[in-house]
Amino acid sequence: MATAHSRTAARLMLSPAVILLLLWMIVPLGMTLYFSTLRYNLLMPGMETFVGFENYYYFVNQPAFWAALSNTLILVLGVLCITVVGGILLALLMDQPFWGQGIVRVLVIAPFFVMPTVSALVWKNMFMNPVNGIFAHIAKALGLPPFDFLSHAPLASIILIVAWQWLPFATLILLTALQSLDREQQEAAEMDGANGFQRFFYLTVPHLTRSITVVILIQTIFLLSVFAEILVTTNGGPGTASTNLTYLVYAQSLLNYDVGGGSAGGIIAVILANIVAIFLMRMIGKNLEA
Amino acid sequence: MARKVSNTRKAVVTAAAWTMGFLIFFPILWIIILGFKSEGDAIKTPLQVLFSDWTLQSYHDVQERSNYGRHFWNSVILSVGSTLIALAIAIPAAWSMAFVPGRRTKDLLMWMLSTKMMPAVGVLVPMYLLFRDFGLLDSRIGLVAVLTLINLPIVVWMLYTYFKEIPGEILEAARMDGASLRSEILYVLTPMAVPGIASTLLLNIILAWNEAFWTLQLTTSQAAPLTQFIASYSSPEGLFYAKLSAASTMAIAPILILGWFSQKQLVRGLTFGAVK
Amino acid sequence: MITLTQVRKSFGEVDVIPGIDLAIEDGEFVVFVGPSGCGKSTLLRLIAGLEDTSGGIISIDGVDATDLPPAKRRLAMVFQSYALYPHMSVRKNIAFPLKMAGMDPAEQERRVNHAAKILNLGNYLDRRPGQLSGGQRQRVAIGRAIVREPTAFLFDEPLSNLDAALRVSMRQEISELHQSLKTTMIYVTHDQVEAMTMADKIVVLNAGRIEQVGSPMELYRSPANLFVAGFIGSPKMNLIEGPEAAKHAATTIGIRPEHIDISADGPWEGVVGLSEHLGSDTFLKVNAGPLGTLTVRAGGEVMMHPGDTVRMAPQPGKLLRFGADGKAMA
């Protein structure tokens, strides 16, 4: 397919994208790396001094860090579990013939279009508010004491909000995959005497693996850096109960003006993301090749 | 091949699917309803809310309190602008990778995708300082640039998967027919890839429209898109349900409508080209 | 005239074409034929300029074209998949090369209409390729090639996506087109029937090497080696080794099915395994013991049944002899 001409052209046309992304990666990251070795407070410009790894030491040794780290992981895993399992069930349901498929599909996609700040505010006020929220109204109607979700189960509440936003995505991808199932293969299996469950576990599930991988990959990218939902609901609290790594870095650098510490946190977040990324890339590398 | 499905079964599935669809959609439906209620009615129990009077007061109040029009245009400019620029950069790049693959193409793609994995907070501080020093804070230009860069890997990836489906022989035919590289991309590849490009365009407009990290960090008012407009309702106005609902409805309506109208392309786009 | 001098192509370590010399005269219909993977398509793509050569010189009409981009070679190509532009009407497809050449629209129109007339596409000019049948798409692809009035046409297995009946009629159309245009055509196929019926000159390729170049009947009558002997002709030539070949002072002897007569006093004896009645002919698979299985063409009315014993005689002068190196012996 390729001649020297087209290969040269290809390099030329590829270079803007590569150069831009390279700059985008290297320049700010290099600066973060540099800042992370300084004592640098935004309120005291011109007072920067080199402190080596001190910022890392303090960042890691604050109790908030470990809380943030585990919150980040719980958030990612929690949302992944809900959306993947829920997505499979919903997709299986919607793959059946029923009246009004088009409309239901429109309803199910909708949350994906809602910006994070809106969904967080809506859930926080209209649903989870202990006085006027719908959940509180329902509890009262049932004679139960209302539950203050964001104070008593802040992380779980945020997981619920984020899962609501991502469930449509998982459902749609899995539904698309289900619809591309080879009907003849299913019929062949039926002729071979496989019952519904056997067909599901031996044909459908393997067929879905690839799509589940895609769902996990793409969602993880976005879930590792959930921010707006926390900012407008709990501000990371109470205490650090719903602070994730992204929010912690934000708080440290822009709320406490501690650029050095925030940068160190940023680098740690990058390292964490890379560990996850390597793991994921291995996984999709295998699954996407085909 | 089609087998008859019993109507009972179909009815059960219909009921279940509609219930799920309704539950998932309910929060959105609810804010649309609350937006047309008075503040006093909006905090009542759901049944009382439903049977209370309808009013446009909240929309009026929101208009007066903040400039919806400006935020709306900022959102449009930011999302459409960044997506178009990303497409202009990504189409040639995806052409190269899809039709002149080298030994490193797969690695390059993976690397591009991995830049998307870099958490934004990792570069928050320097970006903030760079923006401050270049006077780009709260400017549309700066934000368009950032949104272009964060969506570029996804745009490249999606276009690559769509281009891969176009048979190389057609591009070779164009070359034999005397088309220059420019004509080949402009007259042959791009028109053939229109469905894929449309999906990419839509999905990235939506992602950029809803992007809520950089837009919140790097804007305050002049360049602030709708994400920021809504965030300003987080407190204490959040307690004014009707106004919050009206504002929210206005923030999500454009993208909701766009999304519903272009459902077909979008569903394809939503799968990021990775699921056929 | 297109001349290849020591043209080589390697992909990485693999030599696909170790070195080919070939001259194609003006107006000739040349067919490259060979089994899949023999390098025939690669050779065509080298001539087209869609691949770079790894060495050697390709000259077109006396000009060194080795490093020219495809657009500058004045060649037109018809692809196996037709490679029509799906988003353009038939008219626009055919006019595309003219538009790329910046030709004046009136002249474009004239040429497109002319091509449409030759190819019977007049009624389809405003349709999209997706609305056409395989044969019509094929004609559009040819139309796109002829409007440019190229130095030569290149065909890359153009008929392999058509059904058998259509293949026969398109074969004839292409031959007639060649007779009326008298432009050089280079045609790649793996089907030796296409090669035999269409070519002025056949180039038999195997493993990137030219096995033999010649007119269809030359190749049929006197194949240069065992490969050509086995590849050209259908059903295949019978190749016999061992003592029978040694009687003729050869390692292998070859005899075509039509050159074996059923005769009661023939020297060879065998048992009929399978008989295929085509109506006009009957092909017998005869298990001839030490000679192996022979294919014999008998008349259409010859009735033979599996298990029958037959005696056969090769026609005198039709036996071909091959040496230990596989080459034909005089």
Side-chain angles (χ1 to χ4, degrees), chain A residues 1-5 7, chain C residues 45 49-52 67:
Chain A
M1 152 94 224
T3 62
H5 275 115
R7 236 172 260 124
Chain C
R45 293 166 60 81
L50 294 170
E51 301 275 358
D52 286 336
D67 293 320

Side-chain angles (χ1 to χ4, degrees), chain B residues 52-67:
Chain B
S52 59
D53 294 331
W54 302 85
T55 166
L56 280 172
Q57 185 59 38
S58 303
Y59 285 91
H60 189 74
D61 291 347
V62 168
Q63 258 314 323
E64 249 169 32
R65 181 182 169 273
S66 51
N67 191 343

Side-chain angles (χ1 to χ4, degrees), chain C residues 34-61:
Chain C
S36 60
C38 70
K40 56 191 189 298
S41 282
T42 307
L43 188 59
L44 191 76
R45 293 166 60 81
L46 289 174
I47 297 173
L50 294 170
E51 301 275 358
D52 286 336
T53 55
S54 307
I57 296 164
I58 297 173
S59 88
I60 299 173
D61 286 341

Side-chain angles (χ1 to χ4, degrees), chain C residues 134-156:
Chain C
Q136 288 164 339
R137 284 182 210 186
Q138 185 64 69
R139 280 200 208 103
V140 177
I142 294 173
R144 191 172 63 184
I146 61 180
V147 284
R148 296 176 56 197
E149 300 177 355
T151 316
F153 292 101
L154 311 180
F155 291 92
D156 189 5

Side-chain angles (χ1 to χ4, degrees), chain A residues 185-203:
Chain A
Q185 195 191 53
Q186 293 278 326
E187 285 169 351
E190 216 179 326
M191 299 291 289
D192 290 343
N195 65 31
F197 282 103
Q198 287 168 324
R199 291 205 299 277
F200 178 74
F201 282 108
Y202 291 113
L203 298 177

Side-chain angles (χ1 to χ4, degrees), chain C residues 47-205:
Chain C
I47 297 173
L50 294 170
E51 301 275 358
D52 286 336
T53 55
S54 307
I57 296 164
I58 297 173
S59 88
I60 299 173
D61 286 341
V63 182
D64 182 351
T66 317
D67 293 320
L68 282 183
K72 298 261 165 67
R73 299 193 182 196
R74 296 194 30 82
L75 303 173
M77 185 149 165
V78 175
F79 291 83
Q80 181 171 7
S81 64
Y82 322 134
L84 300 179
Y85 310 122
H87 56 291
M88 297 182 196
S89 64
V90 168
R91 186 190 304 280
K92 288 203 171 136
N93 260 285
I94 298 178
F96 188 75
L98 306 179
K99 184 176 159 196
M100 288 298 110
M103 189 179 282
D104 138 70
E107 174 66 7
Q108 285 186 28
E109 180 73 19
R110 199 190 61 74
R111 288 207 194 183
V112 170
N113 288 336
H114 181 64
K117 212 167 117 198
I118 297 178
L119 295 163
N120 274 324
L121 284 169
N123 296 331
Y124 307 105
L125 280 176
D126 294 310
R127 297 211 189 159
R128 294 276 177 100
Q131 300 165 292
L132 303 179
S133 69
Q136 288 164 339
R137 284 182 210 186
Q138 185 64 69
R139 280 200 208 103
V140 177
I142 294 173
R144 191 172 63 184
I146 61 180
V147 284
R148 296 176 56 197
E149 300 177 355
T151 316
F153 292 101
L154 311 180
F155 291 92
D156 189 5
E157 309 225 12
L159 305 184
S160 55
N161 287 343
L162 301 177
D163 64 48
L166 206 50
R167 213 178 298 164
V168 174
S169 70
M170 281 308 296
R171 207 161 74 195
Q172 289 163 358
E173 277 191 46
I174 294 175
S175 293
E176 283 163 16
L177 194 68
H178 179 243
Q179 278 159 21
S180 65
L181 295 175
K182 299 196 169 50
T183 312
T184 313
M185 291 188 175
I186 306 175
Y187 188 106
V188 163
T189 181
H190 64 270
D191 179 354
Q192 58 91 27
V193 176
E194 281 177 24
M196 291 295 286
T197 49
M198 300 170 86
D200 295 324
K201 182 156 95 186
I202 296 179
V203 178
V204 182
L205 288 159

